[in-house]
Amino acid sequence: MTSLELKAFPSKRLNFVPSCDIPYRSGNRILAQASDCTRHKRPNQPETRGRKKKLSKADLDQLEYFYEDEGFEAKRVPWASVAAEAGTNTDISIRTVQRAAQIRDLYKRLAQQGKYKTQEEANRRLNWAEKALQ
């Protein structure tokens, strides 16, 4: 026997509200607040909503370990070959790898490309340096 049957209340949810002399909507709201179980929240089952991830958490861990182990050299590897180098799923696009890496705060370090100096400017700098050292 449930506690509702012991107190002479009807045990079905639909019959419970009118027997307490409260509005139907208020009764449903009160009964819903008493339970943390909702349509989408199932604590004993894995989340099934949404799009499936192309890179699992284990793949992201491998990617992170690759960056930690290789250090600066790993940051120089192009995005196209990062997945293969890390040993994860290689059948994914470059953009997918970039987005997945950003989840774990992994970013590339690109060397800044400087302008090339003209021969005239190089000679002028050399002359200035020679005068400064004298």
Side-chain angles (χ1 to χ4, degrees):
M1 293 188 145
T2 64
S3 61
L4 293 177
E5 290 172 348
L6 290 174
K7 294 181 179 179
F9 286 116
S11 62
K12 291 187 178 181
R13 183 177 176 174
L14 295 175
N15 296 332
F16 176 71
V17 175
S19 65
C20 294
D21 295 328
I22 57 173
Y24 182 75
R25 280 186 162 176
S26 298
N28 278 340
R29 183 175 24 89
I30 292 167
L31 290 173
Q33 287 175 350
S35 171
D36 65 341
C37 189
T38 61
R39 186 172 62 143
H40 298 295
K41 184 178 177 184
R42 293 174 287 173
N44 299 332
Q45 295 177 352
E47 183 63 56
T48 57
R49 294 177 293 158
R51 187 175 182 180
K52 301 278 187 243
K53 302 282 185 193
K54 289 200 174 191
L55 285 173
S56 66
K57 287 183 180 180
D59 291 337
L60 286 175
D61 289 339
Q62 276 186 313
L63 195 65
E64 194 169 6
Y65 294 144
F66 170 68
Y67 275 99
E68 287 176 3
D69 292 342
E70 297 296 322
F72 183 72
E73 294 297 321
K75 294 181 186 337
R76 293 178 54 203
V77 175
W79 283 117
S81 57
V82 166
E85 292 285 333
T88 61
N89 182 8
T90 57
D91 191 25
I92 52 178
S93 71
I94 296 169
R95 188 67 185 130
T96 303
V97 176
Q98 286 176 332
R99 286 184 183 137
Q102 287 174 359
I103 291 172
R104 299 280 179 104
D105 293 329
L106 301 173
Y107 300 97
K108 291 283 191 190
R109 297 328 191 259
L110 298 177
Q112 185 173 355
Q113 197 76 19
K115 295 185 211 173
Y116 292 110
K117 306 298 178 204
T118 63
Q119 187 63 36
E120 179 184 321
E121 189 175 355
N123 288 337
R124 186 175 52 84
R125 286 182 173 202
L126 182 62
N127 291 336
W128 180 84
E130 287 174 350
K131 286 180 186 176
L133 290 176
Q134 289 178 356

